[in-house]
Amino acid sequence: MDKIKVTGGTPLFGTVPIGGSKNASLPIIMASLLTDGVLEVLNIPVLADIKTLYEILKVLGVRITHIDDHTTSFNAAHISELTAPYELVKTMRASVLVLGPLLSRFGECQVALPGGCAIGPRPVNFHLAALEQMGADITIEEGYIKASVKGRLKGANITFPKISVGATENTLMAATLADGQTVINNAAMEPEITDLALCLKAMGADITGIGTSCLTVNGKDKLGGAKYSVLPDRIETATYMIAAAITGGKLTLTDTRPGDVTAVSEALRKMGVEITETDDTITVDGRDRNLVGIDIVTEPYPGFPTDVQAQIMALMLTAKGGSTITETIFENRFMHVPEMQRMNADIRFINDTSVAIAGESKLKGAPVMASDLRASAGLVLAALAAEGDTLIERVYHLDRGYEALEAKLSACGANIVRLHEDKEETKTQDTAQNGTTAL
Ligand code: UD1
């Protein structure tokens, strides 16, 4: 399996185009299952997770036509299969999002249980409870979620006990074709949910409260096709913002939405990073290296995103004074800590959910292992600031979420190369890969 070698110490200068959001593309593409019309989706990033989704859709019978690198159309007029198989689901947890659309359009569906993953157990109980409230009969048999409903799903008043992005998306899609009105209380408010809701509206769905924690959906008999462009990836945006700051360079990110990364911009400004914005660009000037430590708590949107926790930890290591991070969304999302410690990072666990970062760590290159998608991004950032060479293994995690990472970074001066390993090693790593699911 490929490795990435980074030789740190070079400030990055230039422009980085931001791609479409992975986490919005996945549910938006799944929404094609709700209609026999054609859904054309623009600004889809080229990523391993998206390819996995195409494999699942092909199994179900969706006709997929690639129009250009980032535009694809989906035609689910002739669904021939209602089961999402384990071999595909196990590599991507978001596969469970086929459940809502298939169940509401066809009254039946089976999806392999996504299983555990590196950052915690991540159950799907909220997804299932909401669909049951809408009249679905759900059993778990032989590792599969088997869902069916007599007639149509029925509108319901649903209150999630905890904010969940995936459960909100599944329920929202299911509700668009349900009989009557569904109210989703304590809904997640992430921009990716707003994007999905706007795409569903373009397909003819009746949804109000978009962008708030209470979504109201009046079910329709049928949805139609549409053409929809996915919003820019806010996590990719935040990662490159931190790349500018951590290397002491200056980057302008284009085709992005500053309003979606407000919590990250606020945190970086507090640390002393200079940020200027236009409607669709963000310029981050990290040349003044007098950064100070801060305290961060990860929270659902609009709070500081858990998906940027590893990346800002890398930056905190280069600041003056201490910082803390408290992770409130996922258990076990500090897998990058021991890897950063291998690079001479001074990080101490306060308890299971909080760490103290000492700052002014003299980061040194080392061989390290990526454990999940965003942890890998944190390691790449730490490597860009470290003295000497860092060799990052298991980079397939990065390929799930960052399109053309090496090309975008090296165009701005980074010393980063991908090393292709021999077949023997590929086999070993594949086995490891199959044990985890994507974010
Ligand atoms: C999505 C994102 C992921 C991000 C996360 C939180 C995608 C593809 N992935 O993941 O990048 O880190 O939101 O912003 O969009 N939970 C339950 N039961 C459930 C569902 C969730 O207990 O049925 C718990 C989870 O274990 C976790 C918390 O709720 O502790 C939030 O998870 P959720 O928002 O559902 O994350 P995902 O949708 O899986």
Side-chain angles (χ1 to χ4, degrees), residues 225-237:
K227 190 168 172 172
Y228 193 81
S229 184
V230 173
L231 89 168
D233 197 306
R234 64 193 169 99
I235 309 302
E236 187 190 26
T237 303

Side-chain angles (χ1 to χ4, degrees), residues 22-23 26 93-94 122-127 162-167 169 190 306-307 329-330 333 439:
K22 167 182 87 80
N23 285 354
L26 294 171
R93 190 185 142 78
R122 304 181 84 193
V124 289
N125 52 328
F126 303 155
H127 302 234
K162 181 177 172 183
I163 294 172
S164 162
V165 172
E169 292 167 345
E190 269 66 4
T306 175
D307 285 352
I329 309 291
F330 291 112
R333 204 177 196 177
L439 292 184

Side-chain angles (χ1 to χ4, degrees), residues 102-239:
L102 286 180
L103 185 62
S104 64
R105 183 164 155 220
F106 299 101
E108 190 194 326
C109 157
Q110 292 91 40
V111 186
L113 268 174
C117 81
I119 62 167
R122 304 181 84 193
V124 289
N125 52 328
F126 303 155
H127 302 234
L128 305 188
L131 293 171
E132 278 176 336
Q133 241 188 291
M134 297 173 79
D137 184 16
I138 300 181
T139 56
I140 312 277
E141 286 168 45
E142 296 159 350
Y144 276 76
I145 302 164
K146 299 194 172 178
S148 61
V149 61
K150 285 192 190 72
R152 290 170 67 187
L153 287 173
K154 304 231 166 352
N157 195 330
I158 292 158
T159 303
F160 288 120
K162 181 177 172 183
I163 294 172
S164 162
V165 172
T168 303
E169 292 167 345
N170 232 339
T171 311
L172 180 62
M173 287 191 277
T176 58
L177 291 180
D179 187 15
Q181 187 175 78
T182 300
V183 180
I184 308 173
N185 302 292
N186 203 24
M189 295 190 288
E190 269 66 4
E192 294 77 20
I193 291 181
T194 297
D195 217 35
L196 169 65
L198 293 175
C199 175
L200 293 168
K201 264 182 85 109
M203 295 166 70
D206 177 354
I207 306 171
T208 52
I210 296 174
T212 74
S213 62
C214 178
L215 295 164
T216 302
V217 186
N218 290 304
K220 293 279 180 95
D221 290 342
K222 210 171 159 34
L223 296 187
K227 190 168 172 172
Y228 193 81
S229 184
V230 173
L231 89 168
D233 197 306
R234 64 193 169 99
I235 309 302
E236 187 190 26
T237 303
T239 303

Side-chain angles (χ1 to χ4, degrees), residues 50 72 77 97 189-190 211 221 253 267 274 326 330-331 336 346:
I50 301 289
T72 302
L97 295 178
M189 295 190 288
E190 269 66 4
D221 290 342
L253 318 181
E274 203 183 302
T326 301
F330 291 112
E331 310 162 29
H336 42 283
D346 187 350

